[in-house]
Structures are given as C-alpha cells and as structure tokens.
Amino acid sequence: MAYQDHIIEMGQLIKSKGGTWDGIDAEAVARMRLQNRFKTGLEIAKYTAGLMREDMAAYDADPANYTQSLGCWHGFIAQQKMISIKKHFGATKGRYIYLSGWMVAALRSDFGPLPDQSMHEKTSVPALIEEIYTFLKQADARELGGLFRDLDAARKAGDAKKEEQVQDAIDGFQTHVVPIIADIDAGFGNAEATYLLAKKMIEAGACALQIENQVSDEKQCGHQDGKVTVPHDDFLAKVRACRYAFLELGVDNGVIVTRTDSLGAGLTKQIAVSHTPGDIGDQYNSFLDCEEISPADMKNGDVVLNRNGQLLRPKRLPSNLFQFRAGTGEDRCVLDSITSLQNGADLLWIETEKPHIEQIAGMMDRIRAVVPNAKLAYNNSPSFNWTLNFRQQVYDAWQKAGKDVSAYDREKLMSVDYDATALAVEADDKIRTFQADAAKRAGIFHHLITLPTYHTAALSTDNLAKEYFGEQGMLGYVKKVQREEIRQGIACVRHQNMSGSDIGDDHKEYFAGEAALKAGGVHNTMNQFA
C-alpha cells in the first residue's frame, strides 16, 4: 500500500471514532506502519522464501545470477552488512545472511566459547534469527524515518518537486529484510527434536534450513576430523521433519539445504537397514570397509553382512564405529546428494577440504546427470588457506603445462616474498573470480562465508588495541576508526541515530506534540557528524 493510501485509510478510521481519536495523527500512524512492515517472523519467512525461489529460478536461467551471503553472529553485524550493501550497490537482491552454528557455539552460548559439536543450547539459534530480524527491521525504521524528515523539510521549504521525489522514494523503499539460511546442525537429536527446533527457527523468520548428515551426538565441524555420518533413511526422516514444520506453519515454499559431510567422514555409527539388494541401505553398506570371512571365522559379538552369498565382516573400531573404505568419499557424496534431492531437498551443500572448482564440478556433473537442476550452496570457508591453495593450484597448472616453476617452492608459496610474482597475481585473480567461475562450472547457486565477521571482529580489534594502547593513543582510534567512518560514510558514526534515538524522538512528538522532550536538540553532540 502506498504512503498516501495508508494516510487516507487511517484518516477514515480516526474520523469514524466520533472525535475520541482526534489526538491521533493519521500520517504519523501511516509512518509507523511503514516502519514496521513485518509483524511476525512467519511473515518474514514467507516473504524471504519467495525471494529465494525467485533467485533460484533466475540462476537456473543464467548461472551469472548466483547469490551470496556472509555469516553474522549478532543482529548489529547483520544490520550493518545490509546497510552497507544498500549503500554500495543500491539493492539487496541476491544478498542473504548466513547463520552459522559454529559462530553460535563459539560466541552465543551460555556455556561460553564451545567447539562446533552441537553442544550449545539449540534455542540460541532461533533466538539469533529473531535478533537479526529485529535489527534489520530497525534499519528499515531508521532509513524511512530519515525520509519522513526529508519530506517534512521539503514541505516546510515549499519545494513541491523535492516533496514528490521523497514520496516516490518512500513508496519504492526496499527493505533490509533478506533471507537467512540457518544452520540446524544435525538436528539436535532425533527427528522429533529436529521438527520442534525447525518450527522455532521458522517462527523466528528463517525461510531456509541447512541440515547435515552427521550423527547428532557425534557431530563435528565440517572441517574437523572424526566426522560420523548416518544412513540415508535416518537423515531423510529429519529432512521430512523440516518439511513438515514448514508446511504446518504455512511456509509452503520453504527451502531445505541438505549438507553431506561424506567427503571427509570415514565413519558411520550404524549399519543401514537393507531389505533388498541394491536398495539405499545396501548402497550405503557397500562402502563399508569389510573382510570376507567363513562361518568358522566368526567371533563373539561380530556383525556380519551377507552380500551375494558372501559373508562380510565390517571393520569395527574400539569406539564401536564402523569404517568406510578409503577413497569412497566422492561416491558417497554423490549418492547422498541425489538421494536428498529425490526426497524433498531444494539445495545441496557438499563440504570439501579445499576450494577447487573441478573437484566440486566433478561431483556435480554426476549429480546433474540424474537431477539436471541440482544446485549447491557452497561454503567459501575461512578454514581454507585460500592464498596457499590457489597459489599451489596455479603452480601445479604451470608445471603440467611445462612452464618453468623453478623460482618457486610449492610448500612455501604462502610467503610474502611471492606476493608480487606472476604466479601470485594469477592466483589472486582466480580467487577474485572463484564465485562467478564456480557458479558457471560447478552449479553453485549460493556462495557463503561461514565465519567472516568472527575474523573481522578479531582483526579490527587487534589493530585498534595495538594503536590505542601504544604510542598513538587516542590518535589510534581517531585515525583508524572515526576518521575513516566519516570519510567512508559509515552510518553508525552517528551511533545515537543508529541506536534509535531519532526514531524515539519522532515517536515522542507523535505522542506528546510540542510538549515532547527530545534528545536530538541543538546540544546533541551527534550534530557534529550531520
């Protein structure tokens, strides 16, 4: 509904109350309504699910239409990210927020910093979703509040053209609210537990849930050792639990991202149930590391498989876990992915040990031979040493092409001594174009960085501490932070405004008129940054 339509509707409602609501200003109500477009998390989930579906269709038409996100561990971080995107690019289209279980565990648990092993409170995930959307909605209110003030100023100056321009900007306002892809880990328990948590996350506003095929009570970070997967039927029960949660809450177009950790997972906690040769359980079991035995070789407590008349004893470790055959990871990833897509998943996530386009594409080619529109969400992980990986990739390509690489030590390519070399320049260019190249070649619809703001917070704090507590003193803050905020147009340099002070002043004026005691007067030091 347009701005003037809101005013007309509210004016009619106020008039219908026979004078008892005459103290209510219709335009003020219209402004407050526009500043609070989304009333519930479910409204957000339905709206953002629609955005994701549109973006997925656009990617299917042209892989140049890939999407991106950065992981955010606080509502303020997510808010500042979206404000920056609107400032630099004018639109939020195709830019999402990723909510990382790793960062929730490390930064948001009442237990303190924890490893990414599903030990944090599962309720902290929906709480963070709600917090992020609270901050994004506040960013809407703040920006619209500025437009309303501009409208009042144009009216006061009698500038009809400016007034029309501002009203057009209000009517065409683009929200900061964007899709969140939220990490539900391995479901935090059985399928019922997954369903209950999924509901909480969707009610908080999540339109996309990312779930992985690890054992809940043995879950590990995707880039750590000791990962244990579950049979497909167990995992699919949790995928269906997520879909039931979406459908129950009326988010019929909710997005499920199924992650396979099979590339780096060499263990399973249980042998899959198989009813007929070649079924999904039998395929899962076919990857187990087994030895052929005779009945006489059987020992007390042995688990034995019968395959085509052969007795096979899976290798069982002292931990009571079963081991997969070495070198089967890619085959298991492909099977996991196809099975997920055939059972309700919308997007895939294959956790790899390095950012190598052809490795990813090799698996996606096999998946797309069965499911042609298969798409990936890919973790551009800080756990990869991007500099070393890509310099080594260029080194290997040069060597294979017969190019002289004698000036380079492959194991020491991270060294600053190589930064200005042709090899390093080519590697950096490949990093720069990695997302576009991988979107085109390897079916990556969504590129995300799981933990970027964890690292930027640490880096910026280290740089400030070094200067402020050293010889630079206050100049360390002024030169490296405040001066740059002012010159780069960082919105939160006016931190009172960012925290909602001007919004509060507007409300005070709506409620009390000329009697309002406002904070934004002539003596407010934020005026130094106007």
Side-chain angles (χ1 to χ4, degrees):
M1 187 185 296
Y3 183 55
Q4 289 299 326
D5 292 334
H6 276 290
I7 295 173
I8 292 168
E9 181 181 288
M10 284 300 98
Q12 292 172 344
L13 178 62
I14 291 166
K15 187 176 181 180
S16 72
K17 299 302 178 181
T20 59
W21 283 15
D22 284 358
I24 303 296
D25 180 76
E27 187 164 13
V29 177
R31 292 180 176 188
M32 294 174 78
R33 281 189 162 193
L34 289 173
Q35 286 175 301
N36 186 27
R37 171 180 172 181
F38 299 100
K39 310 301 187 291
T40 68
L42 277 178
E43 286 184 28
I44 291 173
K46 292 175 182 179
Y47 167 74
T48 54
L51 294 181
M52 277 197 73
R53 293 291 178 175
E54 289 174 5
D55 289 342
M56 290 162 69
Y59 175 82
D60 286 340
D62 182 353
N65 297 318
Y66 63 90
T67 57
Q68 301 166 291
S69 66
L70 297 174
C72 298
W73 53 272
H74 193 280
F76 177 73
I77 300 296
Q79 178 197 64
Q80 294 305 300
K81 184 185 101 171
M82 297 317 302
I83 287 174
S84 295
I85 286 171
K86 286 193 72 175
K87 179 181 77 173
H88 292 297
F89 305 105
T92 60
K93 182 70 173 173
R95 278 86 176 203
Y96 306 164
I97 289 167
Y98 180 67
L99 189 155
S100 161
W102 193 102
M103 285 206 286
V104 172
L107 299 170
R108 302 300 301 261
S109 172
D110 286 343
F111 293 108
L114 293 172
D116 184 21
Q117 296 173 357
S118 290
M119 295 190 292
H120 55 282
E121 309 88 344
K122 59 186 179 182
T123 52
S124 59
V125 181
L128 179 54
I129 297 168
E130 183 176 7
E131 175 183 292
I132 288 173
Y133 281 128
T134 297
F135 273 81
L136 295 184
K137 290 192 293 181
Q138 193 262 9
D140 280 0
R142 172 188 165 274
E143 186 175 332
L144 282 166
L147 289 171
F148 297 147
R149 290 182 174 212
D150 291 344
L151 185 64
D152 291 341
R155 288 172 177 171
K156 187 175 182 180
D159 189 339
K161 184 177 180 180
K162 178 67 174 177
E163 182 180 349
E164 183 180 355
Q165 289 174 342
V166 175
Q167 187 158 309
D168 287 344
I170 293 169
D171 288 337
F173 178 79
Q174 185 182 52
T175 179
H176 295 82
V177 170
V178 297
I180 287 178
I181 298 177
D183 187 357
I184 197 170
D185 277 30
F188 286 89
N190 61 18
E192 174 69 6
T194 302
Y195 153 77
L196 293 171
L197 178 56
K199 280 183 61 177
K200 285 290 186 184
M201 293 168 70
I202 298 163
E203 287 169 340
C207 72
L209 304 179
Q210 171 231 318
I211 187 165
E212 60 207 58
N213 68 333
Q214 291 191 50
V215 176
S216 292
D217 58 345
E218 299 283 355
K219 183 255 191 280
Q220 294 278 14
C221 170
H223 293 285
Q224 290 183 322
D225 203 359
K227 292 187 290 183
V228 182
T229 63
V230 298
H232 296 90
D233 284 340
D234 293 42
F235 182 59
L236 294 176
K238 294 185 178 183
V239 174
R240 286 192 291 271
C242 292
R243 182 64 67 200
Y244 272 106
F246 274 125
L247 294 174
E248 177 184 340
L249 296 172
V251 187
D252 297 349
N253 55 352
V255 177
I256 298 176
V257 184
T258 51
R259 173 174 135 182
T260 172
D261 281 281
S262 290
L263 195 61
L267 303 169
T268 183
K269 194 168 187 178
Q270 63 198 85
I271 294 173
V273 174
S274 173
H275 300 288
T276 58
D279 65 14
I280 193 64
D282 189 40
Q283 291 180 67
Y284 185 81
N285 294 338
S286 71
F287 296 114
L288 293 171
D289 189 0
C290 300
E291 59 178 336
E292 186 177 351
I293 62 171
S294 67
D297 296 325
M298 294 178 63
K299 301 175 183 177
N300 186 51
D302 269 353
V303 173
V304 179
L305 298 176
N306 177 4
R307 178 171 296 125
N308 299 323
Q310 294 178 317
L311 289 181
L312 301 176
R313 179 166 56 200
K315 185 173 182 179
R316 184 159 60 175
L317 305 181
S319 61
N320 202 30
L321 299 172
F322 296 94
Q323 185 169 295
F324 290 113
R325 295 194 316 278
T328 62
E330 289 201 5
D331 290 340
R332 286 183 281 125
C333 280
V334 170
L335 180 61
D336 295 343
S337 299
I338 292 171
T339 303
S340 291
L341 291 172
Q342 291 175 334
N343 287 272
D346 301 293
L347 294 172
L348 302 172
W349 174 320
I350 298 176
E351 195 76 307
T352 66
E353 82 287 0
K354 60 183 180 292
H356 193 291
I357 291 176
E358 284 307 314
Q359 179 198 31
I360 305 162
M363 290 183 278
M364 283 300 290
D365 288 345
R366 295 170 62 188
I367 295 165
R368 286 183 150 185
V370 180
V371 185
N373 69 338
K375 292 179 282 295
L376 277 176
Y378 186 71
N379 179 7
N380 293 214
S381 177
S383 293
F384 303 145
N385 185 330
W386 286 76
T387 302
L388 181 60
N389 265 292
F390 275 83
R391 288 181 181 182
Q392 288 181 339
Q393 288 179 38
V394 172
Y395 178 98
D396 293 342
W398 282 11
Q399 188 177 57
K400 185 176 180 180
K403 197 168 182 177
D404 182 15
V405 292
S406 60
Y408 303 96
D409 183 338
R410 189 180 186 280
E411 300 308 313
K412 297 180 180 178
L413 288 174
M414 183 67 195
S415 172
V416 67
D417 296 338
Y418 294 120
D419 283 0
T421 65
L423 184 147
V425 170
E426 183 173 328
D428 280 356
D429 194 54
K430 288 183 177 296
I431 294 171
R432 180 182 63 81
T433 64
F434 173 80
Q435 294 186 337
D437 294 342
K440 184 177 181 179
R441 170 69 184 95
I444 299 178
F445 157 73
H446 185 74
H447 283 276
L448 61 98
I449 307 178
T450 45
L451 320 176
T453 51
Y454 177 90
H455 291 280
T456 54
L459 179 62
S460 61
T461 302
D462 178 83
N463 290 338
L464 174 59
K466 177 178 66 176
E467 299 290 332
Y468 177 74
F469 293 105
E471 293 182 359
Q472 293 298 307
M474 193 58 197
L475 183 60
Y477 172 76
V478 171
K479 188 174 181 180
K480 293 294 182 71
V481 181
Q482 189 181 76
R483 192 176 295 169
E484 289 303 310
E485 284 182 301
I486 295 170
R487 291 177 175 174
Q488 294 184 39
I490 304 300
C492 72
V493 69
R494 299 180 67 237
H495 48 259
Q496 306 286 15
N497 167 271
M498 184 58 65
S499 71
S501 179
D502 288 347
I503 296 172
D505 274 0
D506 291 341
H507 291 172
K508 290 174 185 177
E509 190 168 357
Y510 300 162
F511 305 154
E514 294 181 357
L517 181 62
K518 297 190 288 186
V522 67
H523 298 297
N524 188 320
T525 59
M526 284 293 99
N527 293 328
Q528 297 173 31
F529 303 98

